Amino acid sequence: MRRLINVERELRYMKEVMSSLMDKQDRLITENTALKLRVAECEKEQEEEKVEFSEVVRKQIQENTKVTVIKVIKEKDDLMRDAVDKKKSFVIYGMKEKKNPSKFIRERKEKELAKTVIKRVQDSTQEFDQKVEEVIRLGRYSKGGRRPMKVKMRSQVAVEEIMGRKGKLADDVEHKDIRIKRDMN
């Protein structure tokens, strides 16, 4: 008898659970249909926005094309100028640096130092030291330091000749710690 009562209880409980599940299913079906309608509306709105967005993008592209082309041309021009400057330059490593408070005097002394190194490398008939255009110390100053010196020449031929004869510095006792290398990126 108890078993029968327990079975009846379980059946009642199952009926309640089933009815609540059926109610939930009905609610979900109605929500689902409402959501499907809303999705259809959103898709229509999205299509309209796509058309408007594509028109806006097309106009912006047309407006910005000229500006972009001009920027690219200027960048290529700068790259070409940098490449030519690199071919007209070389770097001297190992030159001792003296502290000069005056910028003008310091630049003149560094140019003279670069010219003495170039004179050691060139033949007696050549005058590459006269073709030095600019000398710049690279990096930050430190007392007793040996910052590299970038030397810019007037012609690429002079740089090539100097690079070809840079081995002469190894034989020179006075300038044996000095090395010359190409100016690289």
Side-chain angles (χ1 to χ4, degrees), residues 64-105:
N64 293 332
T65 300
K66 287 182 181 178
V67 174
T68 306
V69 168
I70 290 171
K71 283 181 183 178
V72 167
I73 290 171
K74 285 181 180 178
E75 287 174 6
K76 284 196 174 199
D77 188 41
D78 291 343
L79 286 173
M80 289 299 293
R81 192 176 306 115
D82 289 345
V84 170
D85 285 347
K86 295 271 184 213
K87 290 188 180 208
K88 289 183 178 181
S89 302
F90 62 91
V91 181
I92 301 174
Y93 294 92
M95 293 286 289
K96 288 184 181 177
E97 185 173 8
K98 297 174 185 163
K99 183 170 180 151
N100 286 320
S102 171
K103 181 180 178 184
F104 178 74
I105 295 171

